[in-house]
Amino acid sequence: MSDIYHFSRGTAPLLISIPHLGSQIPEAQQPQMTSVALQSGDTDWHLDTLYQFAQALGASVLGARYSRYVVDLNRPPNDESLYPGQTKTGLCPTQAFRGDALYQNEAVLTDAERAQRLEAYWKPYHAKLREELDRIKAEHGTVLLWEAHSIASVLPRLFEGKLPDLNIGTSDGASCAPDILAAVQGRLDACTDYTWAVNGRFKGGYITRHYGAPADNVHAIQLEMCQSTYMDETYPYGYRPDLAGKVIPVVEGMVTAALRQTTARQR
Ligand SMILES: [Zn+2]
């Protein structure tokens, strides 16, 4: 068992990664942080619960234990911007999405501190991700990496208006084969209950872009879903089974279609 992530191994060529699932802040860092930070408000809450259907599909599931406020696992280690020109949420953020300060005194976030967090939290998650992608590919010849994310539906500091409910990102088509994306989009086309976008504001973060290599049979897709589709977006961020029960079949339909197409390409 790892202190850095939860992992359960499955039998299918499918790895679900949930890098923002964690809400823990290490004890040593807590005194430096604000009360807002200690709530870990920008966590991708409850996605382990939402994706429980994936066990029956044979998925392997990797989820972070620590908050993105410690170090953001879906940012490049050199912290270059994923969306140049837009407000950035960095590798070791100093502000929450809504703009609140995360540190009592940002000066604690030295280069040495950032480097230590990369070593202690970022690298072990990515080492496990790489190891599992390699293992699954060796076993099946192919692998679908499904990057599971969720975010508050309205965040004026980061984007205008309300986000579409379901946002698929494949790095503008670079991170997965077109027929796999088409299979996912087919499910969205058939869905009338939710708004959606493909490669719109969210094109996939670092993990989707870095690991997706369709020519090498690694197909990566990010789903960034609005938290309003399954939970309360304000503290204490409760799970809403009444809402989740409607969106889960849609997410399951997309993952199933993508997995089926990933497997079919091997024949
Ligand atoms: Zn996320």
Side-chain angles (χ1 to χ4, degrees), residues 35-249:
S35 56
V36 168
L38 296 177
Q39 292 181 354
S40 301
D42 299 324
T43 299
D44 295 2
W45 300 102
H46 309 298
L47 286 184
D48 49 347
T49 305
L50 196 95
Y51 276 87
Q52 251 163 18
F53 67 83
Q55 262 186 11
L57 291 177
S60 297
V61 182
L62 177 64
R65 292 183 191 271
Y66 285 93
S67 168
R68 67 188 300 156
Y69 296 162
V70 177
V71 64
D72 192 331
L73 302 171
N74 201 26
R75 294 294 176 274
N78 65 2
D79 204 18
E80 69 189 12
S81 178
L82 292 172
Y83 298 97
Q86 299 184 19
T87 301
K88 180 170 112 165
T89 60
L91 185 68
C92 295
T94 56
Q95 286 177 292
F97 288 167
R98 291 184 169 85
D100 309 89
L102 296 178
Y103 290 87
Q104 320 229 12
N105 176 3
E106 278 177 30
V108 298
L109 214 50
T110 58
D111 286 350
E113 175 67 21
R114 279 179 231 264
Q116 191 276 331
R117 293 185 190 185
L118 267 185
E119 281 300 321
Y121 304 97
W122 195 98
K123 285 189 180 171
Y125 189 89
H126 281 266
K128 185 65 177 171
L129 192 53
R130 178 88 272 167
E131 178 190 322
E132 290 303 318
L133 288 176
D134 289 349
R135 173 189 66 82
I136 294 169
K137 220 184 78 172
E139 205 171 304
H140 298 274
T142 188
V143 56
L144 172 65
L145 169 61
W146 189 274
E147 262 287 294
H149 291 263
S150 72
I151 192 166
S153 57
V154 178
L155 289 169
R157 191 172 149 264
L158 299 184
F159 48 81
E160 261 178 59
K162 184 188 175 296
L163 278 181
D165 296 317
L166 305 169
N167 300 270
I168 293 289
T170 63
S171 188
D172 285 327
S175 71
C176 92
D179 51 290
I180 299 176
L181 177 58
V184 171
Q185 198 158 340
R187 303 306 292 240
L188 289 169
D189 283 332
C191 164
T192 51
D193 294 336
Y194 299 98
T195 54
W196 54 271
V198 173
N199 289 311
R201 167 67 179 81
F202 290 92
K203 299 178 190 298
Y206 173 74
I207 292 176
T208 306
R209 300 181 198 189
H210 180 74
Y211 294 94
D216 199 25
N217 292 318
V218 180
H219 303 279
I221 298 181
Q222 174 174 297
L223 171 61
E224 182 74 84
M225 58 196 294
C226 281
Q227 293 180 332
S228 54
T229 62
Y230 73 92
M231 60 173 269
D232 293 328
E233 292 191 346
T234 49
Y235 186 82
Y237 310 108
Y239 187 66
R240 289 278 304 275
D242 55 322
L243 300 174
K246 278 171 56 188
V247 80
I248 286 170

